[in-house]
Amino acid sequence: MADPVTVGPEVFLAMGREVLAKQPFSVLIGAELAALSPGRCELHVPVSASVKQQHGFVHGGVVSYAADNALTYAGGTALRVPVVTSEFKINYLRPAIGERLIARAEAVHTGRSQAVCRCDVFVVLDGEEKLCAVAQGTIAALPASPAA
Amino acid sequence: MADPVTVGPEVFLAMGREVLAKQPFSVLIGAELAALSPGRCELHVPVSASVKQQHGFVHGGVVSYAADNALTYAGGTALRVPVVTSEFKINYLRPAIGERLIARAEAVHTGRSQAVCRCDVFVVLDGEEKLCAVAQGTIAALPASPAA
Amino acid sequence: MADPVTVGPEVFLAMGREVLAKQPFSVLIGAELAALSPGRCELHVPVSASVKQQHGFVHGGVVSYAADNALTYAGGTALRVPVVTSEFKINYLRPAIGERLIARAEAVHTGRSQAVCRCDVFVVLDGEEKLCAVAQGTIAALPASPAA
Amino acid sequence: MADPVTVGPEVFLAMGREVLAKQPFSVLIGAELAALSPGRCELHVPVSASVKQQHGFVHGGVVSYAADNALTYAGGTALRVPVVTSEFKINYLRPAIGERLIARAEAVHTGRSQAVCRCDVFVVLDGEEKLCAVAQGTIAALPASPAA
């Protein structure tokens, strides 16, 4: 990855979108990267019929996907190396009913090998954002490969 | 829901599969309910190209979906009332590389209004199961509706 | 408990301190309630030799105590009924080296029967606060007793 | 630390107790290491008046201390290097009323730099063990010091 310090915000976001476009699952559910900067991320998931559960709400698994992926972007851009999600925890606050999920994550602490991040997931209904889940997790740097 | 005590295991599983079939997101990713009994659930997700991320592993969001849904089935069948997932936590242990995810969940404590459950998620590669994530969470009974 | 709406901030804090004074464990480690308002709490633990572990840092169990208790106060004052902590999760960010722990918690969502809260734990060293742990958890209303 | 492979079980347990004896906070609340082997730990806390909260139950912070410390022993003996607790999550299942807490932890996955562990915390009342909390967390190897 090019050094994010030396690239402009638009290039940085474009790089992030390139990664997202290579995730077949993110493509499947239509996830969009709305904003990205070091240690911060905003990920959207438009609410289509296919991401719902039996009561018409967005499936919890989709809400947790949004949190997981936003946490990973926040941690990865904070650490500036290839990363994996080690773990996270999510509390669901209300049924996600609306047109769009917005997951906003930020790194609250960045160490040498991991970043701890928080994420708020909102659902947009009639243009109004409502907080529907909060998450917290650890993003870990991948060990350097021998050839690196 | 019919009283699970009075139905046989096959009917119980069939009822669980009916719920899964009504979740468009579960249908989208091809989830299958392999086993269900009060307080226990085994949920499978066949690994197709569309559930992967950019390195060819199953996307973490799919692993967390499997854990979330299995926890909910375990808690819902333990409580025997309509439920929602309140919260859960997941630790990813290794990249999920293989043909199938198997999430096995069980209720470890069932109270009046909530069940605390644990889940192990395995990935099957060449017929061998490997533990790839562990989860723990709370499944809550929905408040009784006034008309109930 | 008197209705917190009808009491002034000082009375509210005094009521919270009364509860803390009745917790022998909080007294044992010298915890102090520095601030309390509906949905918000600041709890301090002075760092004495007896709250440390073998390397001279504050023991993780004491950091988690501070988070747990601050979360409970935030949730309890948000819900305004007797409560218990259902669950929480904590990430330790750095060794807690200093003179005082400060745990600040707030309710991020308050429902009918539970509040979801977040907490930041700081350690004060030479007058400077450093974030040493972050937590997130669920505080649940106790079921009303039949006589209530 | 001597290689645990080359020492007998009694020596291993004695080494663990030596560490516990150096933790002032563990001494303060009277914690005892009842069993220790690679990846497994049993830690006890006798219930004295000083570990209680205002209703006479063991304070949640003490239950979380027991889980935290047991997780750390399980992870540390699995990894066989100096460790810290990165994070953990705990669900409280019932009020801890009794004479003794027993926290049993085990490593469920041990990698190169971290172990993921689970813990069950029981309270013993009239000789009977009751599960009162379950926890799950990550224990991380400390980075090797330059002189090592």
Side-chain angles (χ1 to χ4, degrees), chain D residues 15-132:
Chain D
M15 287 162 59
R17 286 178 171 162
E18 218 171 282
V19 171
L20 196 70
K22 288 179 183 157
Q23 298 182 346
F25 181 63
S26 296
V27 172
L28 178 70
I29 65 174
E32 303 162 7
L33 198 58
L36 189 68
S37 58
R40 286 181 175 273
C41 164
E42 182 177 314
L43 184 90
H44 292 199
V45 180
V47 176
S48 62
S50 63
V51 299
K52 294 183 179 175
Q53 36 84 294
Q54 69 273 29
H55 303 301
F57 312 151
V58 178
H59 196 289
V62 178
V63 178
S64 69
Y65 153 82
D68 178 329
N69 229 20
L71 288 167
T72 308
Y73 269 106
T77 55
L79 288 163
R80 300 179 180 202
V81 293
V83 294
V84 289
T85 303
S86 283
E87 57 86 30
F88 76 101
K89 182 255 204 290
I90 187 165
N91 287 76
Y92 299 109
L93 305 178
R94 57 160 56 86
I97 304 170
E99 304 105 34
R100 178 172 289 264
L101 290 183
I102 299 180
R104 293 194 183 96
E106 65 171 329
V108 294
H109 183 261
T110 307
R112 279 180 307 171
S113 62
Q114 64 175 49
V116 172
C117 303
R118 277 175 171 159
C119 181
D120 291 334
V121 185
F122 300 86
V123 63
V124 185
L125 178 61
D126 298 332
E128 194 192 351
E129 292 187 8
K130 282 172 178 273
L131 188 64
C132 65

Side-chain angles (χ1 to χ4, degrees), chain A residues 41-45 47 58 63 66-67 93-105 119-125 128-134, chain C residues 108 118:
Chain A
C41 164
E42 181 176 315
L43 183 90
H44 292 200
V45 179
V47 176
V58 178
V63 178
L93 305 178
R94 57 160 57 86
I97 304 171
E99 305 105 33
R100 178 172 288 264
L101 289 184
I102 299 181
R104 294 192 183 96
C119 181
D120 290 334
V121 185
F122 300 86
V123 64
V124 185
L125 179 62
E128 194 192 350
E129 292 188 8
K130 282 173 178 273
L131 186 65
C132 65
V134 289
Chain C
V108 295
R118 276 173 171 160

Side-chain angles (χ1 to χ4, degrees), chain C residues 25 58-66 92, chain D residues 25 61-62 64-66 68-69:
Chain C
F25 181 64
V58 178
H59 197 290
V62 177
V63 178
S64 69
Y65 154 81
Y92 299 109
Chain D
F25 181 63
V62 178
S64 69
Y65 153 82
D68 178 329
N69 229 20

Side-chain angles (χ1 to χ4, degrees), chain A residues 68 86-90 92, chain B residues 68 86-87 89-90 92:
Chain A
D68 177 330
S86 283
E87 58 85 30
F88 77 102
K89 182 257 205 288
I90 187 165
Y92 298 109
Chain B
D68 177 329
S86 283
E87 57 85 28
K89 182 255 204 289
I90 187 165
Y92 298 109

